[in-house]
Amino acid sequence: MLALFGDMLTTDHISPIGDIGADTPAGRYLSGFGVATADFVNYGARRLNHDVMVRGTFANVRLRNRLTPARHGSSTLLFPEGEPMSIHDAAMHYQSRGVPLVVVAGAEYGAGSSRDWAAKGTRLLGVRAVIAESFERIHRSNLIGMGVLPLQFAPGVNAHTLSLTGREAFDVLGISAGIEPRAQLQCTVHREDGSAQTIQLLARLDTTREAQDYHHGGLLHRLVRQQLAASGPTDVRGLA
């Protein structure tokens, strides 16, 4: 688990557009290239730079990750060490270890404006699924377009009722076989003490097109493959 959030985590929490602080992953990145603090500007002005924007993902100064409740902003714990660090730094450690990630949250995940980087940054951090009590419609669609699977707890089930601490690992079954729209998937929650619990999660792929997009790894992947298939073998070889 990369992060554990409560209700109403907005797209501004996920991908802020405000000022870039000096002591943030994005600020430290810019400083490394000799950019003066006064010239950082803000995330909105830097949105064409994916190196800045991925470091700004889950970096809102008001963000509260329940894995590090005493800290604000980009903060989490790297497991199994339990070492505190920024969300971006932890995600890079997990990527180097080949560990896919989940984010767990409460109700109305992704509320707010339809901010594309909220889904892009999530995917670039290595998050493969978001498990929440409910999703805002547009952000849910954007996650699918980036190849991130939105999974919804059963009614009455949430991180609190499951006593999740953030130290769990999750096995979601049935993905590789292809997911039908609104399929019920089995998820095994592996706890730190060696015990396991199986729960049901609703795959919030609400339409056949969304299921197709996710199967291809995202909207762009599907469109490129369709275009290559329509171009014929000669054109495909030319592109290669």
Side-chain angles (χ1 to χ4, degrees):
M1 190 189 300
L2 181 63
L4 175 60
F5 300 117
D7 296 339
M8 280 293 294
L9 189 86
T10 70
T11 50
D12 189 59
H13 287 111
I14 302 169
S15 184
I17 61 172
D19 292 343
I20 300 172
D23 191 26
T24 65
R28 291 191 290 271
Y29 172 79
L30 291 170
S31 294
F33 285 96
V35 179
T37 303
D39 296 327
F40 286 176
V41 196
N42 55 53
Y43 292 106
R46 297 273 182 180
R47 68 186 308 277
L48 296 182
N49 186 328
H50 76 275
D51 286 312
V52 171
M53 295 303 291
V54 71
R55 287 166 172 80
T57 304
F58 299 115
N60 189 303
V61 294
R62 299 185 305 275
L63 189 74
R64 296 294 295 270
N65 180 0
R66 293 180 177 179
L67 300 188
T68 53
R71 298 169 180 256
H72 290 147
S74 181
S75 177
T76 193
L77 296 177
L78 176 71
F79 296 116
E81 297 89 340
E83 180 182 353
M85 61 182 63
S86 74
I87 286 177
H88 175 267
D89 288 350
M92 294 305 102
H93 279 290
Y94 286 126
Q95 284 192 25
S96 70
R97 300 172 183 180
V99 177
L101 302 170
V102 299
V103 166
V104 178
E108 299 185 66
Y109 182 86
S113 61
S114 56
R115 197 163 296 175
D116 57 345
W117 262 106
K120 290 179 185 178
T122 298
R123 179 64 175 81
L124 290 172
L125 287 177
V127 175
R128 295 297 180 264
V130 175
I131 306 174
E133 294 180 61
S134 64
F135 291 88
E136 191 279 332
R137 176 180 59 86
I138 297 176
H139 184 63
R140 180 192 63 81
S141 179
N142 287 344
L143 287 173
I144 297 167
M146 291 303 300
V148 179
L149 181 60
L151 296 169
Q152 190 164 304
F153 287 116
V157 178
N158 54 43
H160 177 71
T161 64
L162 294 172
S163 300
L164 298 182
T165 66
R167 296 176 178 271
E168 298 81 10
F170 301 81
D171 282 331
V172 182
L173 305 181
I175 294 176
S176 59
I179 308 174
E180 295 296 321
R182 297 189 68 85
Q184 292 284 342
L185 300 181
Q186 187 178 89
C187 174
T188 302
V189 181
H190 300 275
R191 301 185 185 275
E192 191 176 29
D193 62 4
S195 64
Q197 180 180 1
T198 299
I199 61 174
Q200 295 293 317
L201 297 173
L202 173 64
R204 288 301 311 276
L205 307 174
D206 291 354
T207 66
T208 300
R209 175 58 59 84
E210 288 181 346
Q212 290 174 346
D213 287 347
Y214 178 74
H215 173 72
H216 281 279
L219 174 61
L220 181 60
H221 298 74
R222 178 176 65 80
L223 293 177
V224 168
R225 289 185 178 120
Q226 287 180 348
Q227 184 61 43
L228 290 176
S231 299
T234 301
D235 292 336
V236 172
R237 284 195 297 270
L239 288 171

